[in-house]
Amino acid sequence: FRSDRDGPLDMRMDTSTGLPASQLISVLSESELARIIREYGEERHAARVAAAIKSALADGMQVTTTAALAQVVCSVVRAPPRSPGRAFVHPATRTFQAIRIAVNNELDEVQRGLVAARRALKPGGRLAVLSYHSLEDRLVKAMLTRSRSADGTPSFEAATKVEPSSAEIASNPRARSALLRVATRARAGGAK
């Protein structure tokens, strides 16, 4: 689901369930769409983006492709200035992320996966979680630092954070946002 390549505006991981992105943006109110873009995309221009999308739809524009959505977003969000050594970030990236998260209910899925992993992991077992944006990472970090066993002791020992090296990012630009957290299930307290 890329903002720089044209294709159907679907974004579903499983096309047999849920609404495609093109339908979701049509049925949401402008305020709800702005909330999703602000919260899930951390887009500071969320209200302008939502207004532009709803205006384009009201004017009869078919926002059914990734190029069409990117065009609408780019009409109100400028590309950030390029910094030396940093990859170009398309102006529609945050909006695409937000809509994809909403379409797939991704944060709830991450939360369910973390709870299941915590329950399944035996004391002394290691958990490694890759997150690809700050919203996912906040959920992972919160679970690793705040979860408690039945006796009130922490569920995990100190977690290690691993970020991609500049060499890895150079060879794989998509790795720039990846973050790996590794933690060991505490030996005291048992599985919750």
Side-chain angles (χ1 to χ4, degrees), residues 78-163:
R78 292 192 332 215
R82 287 192 185 225
S83 301
R86 297 210 56 194
F88 171 73
V89 177
H90 193 283
T93 297
R94 291 176 180 270
T95 298
F96 273 63
Q97 173 183 301
I99 293 170
R100 188 201 70 233
I101 288 170
V103 163
N104 294 296
N105 202 20
E106 289 179 25
L107 297 180
D108 287 341
E109 293 295 329
V110 168
Q111 190 66 43
R112 278 193 284 279
L114 290 171
V115 168
R118 185 184 72 206
R119 286 185 179 145
L121 200 60
K122 294 181 179 175
R126 290 195 141 195
L127 176 65
V129 182
L130 267 174
S131 57
Y132 295 94
H133 54 78
S134 60
L135 298 173
E136 289 176 344
D137 187 54
R138 280 184 217 138
L139 292 174
V140 174
K141 185 177 178 182
M143 195 269 291
L144 295 177
T145 58
R146 294 185 195 140
S147 67
R148 301 275 184 233
S149 297
D151 65 359
T153 59
S155 295
F156 290 93
E157 295 169 3
T160 302
K161 178 172 83 170
V162 181
E163 297 182 49

Side-chain angles (χ1 to χ4, degrees), residues 30-104:
E30 184 177 318
S31 62
E32 183 62 11
L33 183 57
R35 183 194 67 76
I36 285 170
I37 295 168
R38 183 176 45 261
E39 289 181 15
Y40 296 163
E42 301 177 300
E43 172 61 70
R44 64 186 178 129
H45 304 294
R48 287 195 337 220
V49 171
I53 292 169
K54 295 311 270 188
S55 177
L57 291 168
D59 290 345
M61 181 177 180
Q62 297 294 310
V63 186
T64 57
T65 66
T66 56
L69 179 59
Q71 177 186 350
V72 172
V73 174
C74 288
S75 73
V76 294
V77 177
R78 292 192 332 215
R82 287 192 185 225
S83 301
R86 297 210 56 194
F88 171 73
V89 177
H90 193 283
T93 297
R94 291 176 180 270
T95 298
F96 273 63
Q97 173 183 301
I99 293 170
R100 188 201 70 233
I101 288 170
V103 163
N104 294 296

Side-chain angles (χ1 to χ4, degrees), residues 26 67 77 81 153 161 165-166 169:
S26 295
V77 177
T153 59
K161 178 172 83 170
S165 67
S166 54
I169 293 170

